[in-house]
Amino acid sequence: MSFKYQKYQELKTLVELLLSDVNKAHVYDPTWKSLLGEISGFFAREIAVFTDLESRQQSYQTEISKQIRLLELDMMFLQSAKQTLTIKLRLESIQQRAEILIRYCQNILEISY
């Protein structure tokens, strides 16, 4: 596996860790903010710098970037949510975005084979 695909695997692992934590929770956990910062920073430092991608890979990379930004927004909304229903909906939204990110990473890894 090439270096760049190893980085996508590492990103996928970080997102899976976040998803695992969110799946177990019923309320916001402040540790998620640092984990999400780690995901965002890792993407910016280790993956966004890849410029020699095929068109399909570039599309996935762009979508991953977008989903990370939306995940950060969802996390902010969850952090400020007070009502049980709102918290539940925000947690579901975060779970869905994390699952999308995992699928995108997996798709890029499959392209490499």
Side-chain angles (χ1 to χ4, degrees):
M1 182 182 294
S2 77
F3 173 77
K4 79 173 109 174
Y5 295 106
Q6 179 184 344
K7 295 299 178 181
Y8 281 105
Q9 182 61 52
E10 290 175 37
L11 177 64
K12 181 179 172 225
T13 301
L14 286 171
V15 176
E16 287 170 339
L17 180 62
L18 176 65
L19 179 60
S20 174
D21 286 354
V22 171
N23 282 338
K24 296 178 212 170
H26 300 288
V27 294
Y28 173 76
D29 182 337
T31 62
W32 298 344
K33 187 174 184 177
S34 64
L35 182 52
L36 186 53
E38 189 177 339
I39 290 168
S40 180
F42 181 84
F43 179 81
R45 283 186 320 275
E46 305 289 336
I47 295 177
V49 296
F50 298 145
T51 57
D52 61 336
L53 300 174
E54 297 173 13
S55 174
R56 211 164 89 189
Q57 293 168 324
Q58 183 63 49
S59 295
Y60 279 120
Q61 184 168 306
T62 300
E63 286 300 315
I64 289 171
S65 175
K66 181 177 99 177
Q67 290 299 321
I68 289 173
R69 288 192 313 272
L70 291 171
L71 187 57
E72 290 170 331
L73 286 174
D74 286 338
M75 196 67 73
M76 284 186 346
F77 290 139
L78 172 62
Q79 194 174 355
S80 65
K82 303 291 182 223
Q83 297 191 353
T84 305
L85 179 59
T86 307
I87 291 169
K88 181 179 181 286
L89 292 172
R90 295 295 179 197
L91 284 169
E92 288 173 3
S93 179
I94 289 168
Q95 289 168 334
Q96 290 170 356
R97 281 205 204 286
E99 288 167 356
I100 289 169
L101 279 166
I102 291 166
R103 279 196 309 271
Y104 286 164
C105 289
Q106 187 60 42
N107 289 343
I108 285 180
L109 291 170
E110 289 172 4
I111 290 171
S112 69
Y113 291 118

